[in-house]
Amino acid sequence: MGGARAQVNKAHKSRFSSKATRQLHKTSQKDKSRISKKEHNVGKGARAARVQRNKTVREQKRAALLKEKRLSSASTSPPRVIVLFGLSASVDLNSVAEDLWSLLSAEGSGVSSGTVASSEHKLRTTVLKAPHGDLLSCMEMAKVADLIAFVASASSCCEESNSNYIDSFGNQCLSVFRSLGLPSTAVFIRDLPADLKRRHEVKKMCTSSLSSEFPEDCKVYPVDTKDELQKFLWLFKEQRLTLPHWRAQRPYLMAQKVDLVADDCNPGKCTLLLTGYLRSKSLSVNQLVHVSGVGDFQLCKLEILKDPFPLNSRKGQDLMDSDETQHAEVVRSLDPDPLKKEPLLVENASDPLAGEQTWPTEAEMAEADRNQKEKKIRKRTLPRGTSEYQAAWIVDDSDGEDSDSTIESDDGMVLDERESNFPGQEGTNYSGFDDDQASLRFGDSDEETDIDSVMMESDNLTRERREEEIQKLKDAYAGDKEYPDEVDTPLDVPARKRFAKYRGLKSFKTSSWDPKESLPPEYARIFAFDNFKRTQKHVLANAFKMEQENRDDCIPVGSFARLHIKEVPNVVASKLCVRAMSVPVIACGLLQHESKISVLHFCIKKHETYDAPIKAKEELVFHVGFRQFIGRPIFSTDNINSDKHKMERFLHEGCFTVASIYAPISFPPLPVIVLKSHGVGAAPAIAAVGSLRSIDPDRIILKKIILTGYPQRVSKLKASVKYMFHNPEDVRWFKPVEVQSKGGIRGRIKEPVGTHAMIPVYKRITISERNSGSGEYRSRDPGNYEPNTI
């Protein structure tokens, strides 16, 4: 009847169902859960457990955040440090600081120390003014700042900068602050016009110009009047401060008062007294401390003093007088435990006879006899003049192309590996040909390198001579950038002697190199880690455990304490007392092993404002967190797929380079600021910025050179290359080394033709030398100078 328009319903697929499934709707809810599949129940339970776990994590984070907020705003928390930094020289910071002090303290006291306590705002604050033009002072203040207030003047115009409100020094400090890690930030705008419409337009234009220089959460406040500053203070009181992670790992104290007490037992030494609020972590009296710019020391006493700036003080006594601060009441005194006190160990006590050979045992003598018998049978064909040390690195070729009659002629020699005495190898010193002997060294080392003498001589040079030296350095920098690693073969010295320390590598990536080979004597004085990550995790876990236990030998965070630092030189302590008038003196607690010397590797990048070339092994000042030290770094590349890294002669701009120096151990993450001083009295310049990468004395750094020549006659399979070597003996000496062209074609040296070299169309030789970061490269009898393992 319906025909083609009849409705056709989809058939029920009951024939694919089981009998139990078809009868499932007739069962009860209890039986339905019993009949259902187990996998469904497992998935449902896993989802419930996952939801519950996420809820627990959220509650823990919320509780930790609430606890942190309560501690930061509690009466026992240390005063918040506000650093006022002027973005241009025309900004008046004194008026801003005076307005803040007058709002926080009704009597206007506390200006001398910079710390005020306000019962009305329930806030304690330390206000510091960063001096414009003094880079070191600005860096030290930024290291302890809880909030950096960048003050801009709406009426200023800086043409030398991209922004109209930031001058060149402001841009330089901003880049340094970003490298150190910015804390909480705010922008103050001064000198806005009085007209409301014009005031709104200028504020909007200033905010738009400065927004790209600061984080997104940075707020802008007009601070021309006290009412506007009052609004900032109320918001600042409730603000959750963000601090760099590296500052949260160690306790530190910003000294409000610096004194010294003479030590009768040690002439020339004294006890340094630093008084201030302890921040970040608890400090143990058995812990080592580092005084910024001075060094590492032990504590002889810790005193907890009565808080001179309490929040809940009686009316009329908002702040203690400065005389009362000097004679504060001692609440508690802690003395170190001789058994638990961490020793001030800097260098390993090395044994100069540790590398001497002892009398072998009978088993060792029998094994040596067997090896000698095996060596008598096996002989190798090597060029004339090849030493046993170099022969160990020459790869034997299975093909007979290199073992033809030309090698067996007078141009070569048969080397019996039992022989070890070769002419020209014993007692030869080639240090006068290169300055490779100078290397990483301690800042207080008594040894003088060749570069030290050259630098001391440069201080007495005339102006014309100094300009010539600078121009020569610039030319060398440009040449290294255009033709990296290429050197000229000397005319007066044979190449086999000039480059006797170098060896040929068949592959820079895959060729093996023992990291313990030819270690310098300085390596016996440093420390190394068996497993650095495991040690760091263990040290941080111990520090966290000490923080949670509330031990008797520790003082809590927020305490007003006095540190008694013993055995400080009198000259250094006197300078520190004078320096404390303008720059904050910082003392930070050190973690375990952080006083010991090792090889530190920093990943740095040349600063955009520094144009002068930076040569390897130049003296630079490293600011690593709160610590400072002087070093002569060795620059190298960072090869991810290889355990060997090529040394760089200069620090090139636009790329990251690894700088390696001897320095005290520091656990990352830590920022690093590299400064270059330009003489006594001159302000240091920012040379590079970066971070601490690793601590590894076994990192292999190879120095690479390329000897080049000029093709004279080129055939299909061979070519005559001129000026690569200047005598036939040098050609035979470098015969085992593989050569290659700029296009990547590889080959071998065939034979000398006069003073030329008959080789395939390949004209580069890659030779590398281990530069392990110390003075002398010992190609024979390296000795046992391995670092002490922690």
Side-chain angles (χ1 to χ4, degrees):
M1 179 179 175
R5 297 183 180 180
Q7 180 179 350
V8 179
N9 295 327
K10 189 176 181 180
H12 185 63
K13 296 183 178 180
S14 60
R15 59 194 181 95
F16 298 106
S17 305
S18 64
K19 184 177 181 180
T21 307
R22 290 198 301 269
Q23 301 296 329
L24 185 62
H25 65 283
K26 298 180 179 181
T27 59
S28 63
Q29 190 70 22
K30 181 179 179 181
D31 297 334
K32 189 180 296 184
S33 63
R34 180 177 56 84
I35 297 173
S36 59
K37 296 181 180 181
K38 296 181 179 180
E39 289 79 4
H40 179 71
N41 291 335
V42 171
K44 187 175 181 180
R47 181 180 179 277
R50 187 169 61 253
V51 171
Q52 182 65 27
R53 184 173 62 252
N54 294 338
K55 182 180 177 181
T56 305
V57 170
R58 284 197 303 269
E59 291 177 352
Q60 290 177 352
K61 289 184 178 180
R62 188 180 295 110
L65 183 62
L66 184 60
K67 181 181 178 181
E68 180 185 353
K69 185 177 180 180
R70 287 174 178 173
L71 290 177
S72 62
S73 59
S75 59
T76 57
S77 62
R80 296 188 171 188
V81 180
I82 300 178
V83 175
L84 301 177
F85 178 79
L87 294 177
S88 62
S90 60
V91 175
D92 184 15
L93 298 180
N94 294 325
S95 59
V96 182
E98 291 294 337
D99 292 344
L100 284 174
W101 282 323
S102 61
L103 285 174
L104 292 171
S105 176
E107 299 179 359
S109 59
V111 177
S112 59
S113 61
T115 302
V116 291
S118 173
S119 301
E120 178 185 359
H121 296 84
K122 296 182 180 179
L123 180 67
R124 296 193 297 176
T125 307
T126 300
V127 181
L128 302 177
K129 297 176 290 184
H132 195 275
D134 191 351
L135 178 62
L136 293 178
S137 299
C138 294
M139 286 175 54
E140 294 301 311
M141 291 182 181
K143 292 177 183 179
V144 297
D146 295 323
L147 181 135
I148 301 180
F150 298 96
V151 186
S153 177
S155 60
S156 65
C157 182
C158 304
E159 298 180 355
E160 71 272 10
S161 176
N162 296 331
S163 176
N164 295 330
Y165 307 99
I166 308 177
D167 58 6
S168 58
F169 180 77
N171 275 324
Q172 188 181 37
C173 286
L174 272 176
S175 64
V176 173
F177 295 162
R178 295 190 195 100
S179 301
L180 287 174
L182 276 175
S184 299
T185 56
V187 177
F188 291 171
I189 301 179
R190 302 275 291 182
D191 304 329
L192 290 171
D195 183 53
L196 292 180
K197 183 178 180 180
R198 178 64 179 163
R199 182 186 183 88
H200 179 69
E201 292 177 355
V202 173
K203 178 188 173 183
K204 185 177 180 181
M205 183 174 59
C206 185
T207 304
S208 176
S209 177
L210 295 175
S211 60
S212 61
E213 301 291 339
F214 302 102
E216 294 181 358
D217 58 346
C218 181
K219 295 184 178 181
V220 180
Y221 302 91
V223 291
D224 283 325
T225 62
K226 290 187 178 181
D227 293 337
E228 294 169 339
L229 271 177
Q230 187 86 8
K231 178 183 177 182
F232 159 74
L233 287 176
W234 283 112
L235 294 175
F236 174 63
K237 173 183 175 296
E238 300 296 332
Q239 183 180 1
R240 177 177 175 263
L241 300 178
T242 58
L243 299 177
H245 177 65
W246 62 271
R247 279 168 54 179
Q249 290 185 335
R250 299 166 181 82
Y252 66 95
L253 179 143
M254 184 182 67
Q256 296 183 349
K257 187 173 181 298
V258 181
D259 288 326
L260 59 92
V261 178
D263 192 352
D264 298 332
C265 300
N266 295 328
K269 300 292 182 68
C270 66
T271 301
L272 184 66
L273 307 181
L274 300 181
T275 307
Y277 289 93
L278 184 66
R279 305 171 188 271
S280 181
K281 296 288 185 181
S282 300
L283 178 65
S284 173
V285 70
N286 299 314
Q287 200 171 349
L288 297 177
V289 295
H290 173 83
V291 182
S292 183
V294 179
D296 304 336
F297 301 96
Q298 288 180 324
L299 293 172
C300 60
K301 185 189 291 186
L302 269 181
E303 292 178 344
I304 301 178
L305 309 179
K306 184 178 179 180
D307 197 339
F309 305 104
L311 268 180
N312 51 359
S313 60
R314 293 189 302 270
K315 188 176 181 180
Q317 294 182 354
D318 293 338
L319 297 172
M320 295 181 63
D321 192 54
S322 60
D323 295 336
E324 298 180 10
T325 306
Q326 295 179 3
H327 305 285
E329 178 184 351
V330 178
V331 178
R332 183 183 170 195
S333 180
L334 302 177
D335 294 324
D337 187 355
L339 300 178
K340 297 181 180 180
K341 184 170 61 175
E342 188 169 349
L344 184 59
L345 183 60
V346 179
E347 299 180 12
N348 181 35
S350 60
D351 185 5
L353 301 179
E356 294 294 330
Q357 184 180 3
T358 57
W359 189 258
T361 61
E362 295 182 358
E364 292 175 345
M365 295 178 65
E367 183 179 0
D369 293 338
R370 289 194 301 268
N371 294 337
Q372 289 294 333
K373 291 178 180 179
E374 293 177 0
K375 288 184 178 181
K376 286 180 180 180
I377 304 174
R378 182 167 55 93
K379 293 185 178 182
R380 302 174 60 189
T381 304
L382 296 171
R384 183 187 302 274
T386 304
S387 64
E388 183 181 4
Y389 178 73
Q390 292 172 321
W393 289 88
I394 298 177
V395 181
D396 292 333
D397 294 331
S398 58
D399 54 354
E401 192 175 30
D402 289 341
S403 59
D404 51 7
S405 58
T406 57
I407 297 181
E408 295 178 0
S409 62
D410 295 337
D411 295 342
M413 62 175 295
V414 177
L415 173 63
D416 188 347
E417 294 191 356
R418 295 176 297 172
E419 299 178 1
S420 60
N421 298 323
F422 289 91
Q425 300 291 330
E426 297 269 67
T428 308
N429 186 8
Y430 306 119
S431 60
F433 302 135
D434 196 2
D435 59 352
D436 297 336
Q437 310 293 342
S439 62
L440 320 167
R441 65 180 185 91
F442 304 113
D444 55 352
S445 177
D446 296 329
E447 299 179 2
E448 178 179 320
T449 60
D450 298 337
I451 291 184
D452 296 333
S453 59
V454 172
M455 292 182 66
M456 288 188 294
E457 291 175 1
S458 63
D459 296 338
N460 302 324
L461 296 178
T462 61
R463 181 178 178 181
E464 293 78 8
R465 179 62 177 170
R466 186 167 301 174
E467 290 178 354
E468 292 179 3
E469 294 293 335
I470 294 175
Q471 186 61 36
K472 187 183 297 183
L473 184 62
K474 290 182 179 180
D475 295 341
Y477 174 75
D480 181 73
K481 191 174 181 180
E482 186 175 0
Y483 306 103
D485 307 321
E486 293 190 6
V487 297
D488 295 329
T489 307
L491 296 173
D492 52 345
V493 180
R496 61 186 182 279
K497 293 184 178 181
R498 171 61 182 84
F499 306 115
K501 298 183 296 182
Y502 294 76
R503 68 180 63 164
L505 289 184
K506 188 171 185 179
S507 173
F508 189 87
K509 179 180 178 180
T510 60
S511 297
S512 61
W513 199 297
D514 186 10
K516 303 297 184 181
E517 175 193 348
S518 301
L519 295 179
E522 286 80 5
Y523 263 49
R525 298 159 53 192
I526 67 174
F527 295 86
F529 293 98
D530 187 22
N531 190 327
F532 176 72
K533 291 185 178 180
R534 182 181 61 191
T535 304
Q536 181 181 8
K537 184 178 179 180
H538 177 70
V539 169
L540 295 179
N542 288 342
F544 180 76
K545 183 179 178 181
M546 184 184 70
E547 183 75 17
Q548 299 295 324
E549 287 179 350
N550 296 325
R551 290 164 29 179
D552 295 335
D553 59 344
C554 298
I555 58 175
V557 179
S559 304
F560 190 73
R562 180 187 293 145
L563 309 184
H564 294 251
I565 305 174
K566 66 178 184 179
E567 297 182 359
V568 181
N570 289 330
V571 179
V572 176
S574 302
K575 292 181 179 179
L576 207 61
C577 293
V578 178
R579 180 187 174 193
M581 301 295 180
S582 57
V583 183
V585 177
I586 307 170
C588 70
L590 298 180
L591 300 176
Q592 188 181 7
H593 306 307
E594 284 197 330
S595 66
K596 301 172 183 176
I597 296 292
S598 186
V599 179
L600 273 62
H601 306 286
F602 301 94
C603 186
I604 63 174
K605 184 178 182 180
K606 192 174 182 180
H607 199 261
E608 55 188 7
T609 60
Y610 195 84
D611 299 330
I614 303 176
K615 192 178 181 182
K617 305 167 190 175
E618 282 189 9
E619 188 174 282
L620 300 174
V621 181
F622 287 79
H623 287 249
V624 183
F626 292 115
R627 311 176 81 169
Q628 305 173 22
F629 39 80
I630 301 174
R632 297 181 180 271
I634 286 180
F635 303 132
S636 61
T637 58
D638 187 15
N639 297 331
I640 302 177
N641 299 325
S642 176
D643 61 341
K644 295 175 287 297
H645 311 273
K646 186 176 77 69
M647 176 185 171
E648 296 287 345
R649 291 171 173 81
F650 291 89
L651 180 62
H652 297 285
E653 66 275 356
C655 60
F656 283 94
T657 305
V658 177
S660 306
I661 60 171
Y662 286 128
I665 293 172
S666 299
F667 292 103
L670 280 174
V672 57
I673 308 295
V674 183
L675 303 180
K676 181 73 169 69
S677 59
H678 297 283
V680 181
I686 304 174
V689 296
S691 61
L692 176 61
R693 180 179 178 83
S694 62
I695 303 173
D696 185 14
D698 292 338
R699 190 175 192 269
I700 301 175
I701 302 176
L702 304 179
K703 186 174 182 181
K704 175 183 176 181
I705 63 170
I706 297 175
L707 305 179
T708 59
Y710 301 90
Q712 296 297 310
R713 292 185 300 274
V714 180
S715 62
K716 186 175 182 180
L717 296 177
K718 296 181 180 180
S720 176
V721 178
K722 196 173 183 181
Y723 300 133
M724 180 180 288
F725 304 106
H726 302 294
N727 56 73
E729 288 77 11
D730 290 342
V731 178
R732 300 187 187 99
W733 177 271
F734 290 98
K735 203 170 184 179
V737 182
E738 189 179 42
V739 295
Q740 64 179 5
S741 67
K742 283 189 175 181
I745 308 174
R746 298 174 179 271
R748 293 281 185 179
I749 299 176
K750 297 298 292 183
E751 61 181 357
V753 182
T755 59
H756 309 349
M758 195 68 178
I759 64 172
V761 189
Y762 328 125
K763 59 176 182 178
R764 286 195 177 185
I765 297 179
T766 303
I767 304 175
S768 300
E769 173 214 4
R770 168 73 187 273
N771 197 332
S772 55
S774 85
E776 187 176 359
Y777 182 89
R778 298 175 179 264
S779 60
R780 304 183 64 189
D781 191 18
N784 186 17
Y785 297 117
E786 295 187 15
N788 188 23
T789 304
I790 297 176

Coordinates of all heavy atoms in Angstrom, one line a residue, residues 8-13:
V8 N 10.4 2.5 6.9 CA 11.2 1.3 7.2 C 12.0 1.6 8.5 O 12.9 2.5 8.5 CB 12.1 0.9 6.1 CG1 12.9 -0.3 6.5 CG2 11.3 0.6 4.8
N9 N 11.6 0.9 9.5 CA 12.3 1.1 10.8 C 13.6 0.3 10.9 O 13.6 -0.8 10.3 CB 11.4 0.8 12.0 CG 10.2 1.8 12.0 OD1 10.3 2.9 11.7 ND2 9.1 1.2 12.5
K10 N 14.6 0.8 11.6 CA 15.8 0.0 11.8 C 15.6 -1.2 12.7 O 14.9 -1.1 13.7 CB 16.9 0.9 12.4 CG 18.2 0.3 12.5 CD 19.2 1.3 13.0 CE 20.6 0.7 13.0 NZ 21.6 1.7 13.5
A11 N 16.1 -2.3 12.3 CA 15.9 -3.6 13.0 C 16.6 -3.5 14.3 O 17.7 -3.0 14.5 CB 16.3 -4.7 12.2
H12 N 15.9 -4.1 15.3 CA 16.6 -4.2 16.7 C 17.7 -5.3 16.7 O 17.5 -6.4 16.2 CB 15.5 -4.6 17.7 CG 16.0 -4.6 19.1 ND1 16.4 -3.5 19.7 CD2 16.1 -5.6 20.0 CE1 16.8 -3.8 20.9 NE2 16.6 -5.1 21.1
K13 N 18.8 -4.9 17.2 CA 20.0 -5.7 17.2 C 20.1 -6.6 18.4 O 21.1 -6.8 19.0 CB 21.3 -4.9 17.1 CG 21.4 -4.0 15.8 CD 22.7 -3.3 15.8 CE 22.8 -2.4 14.5 NZ 24.0 -1.7 14.4

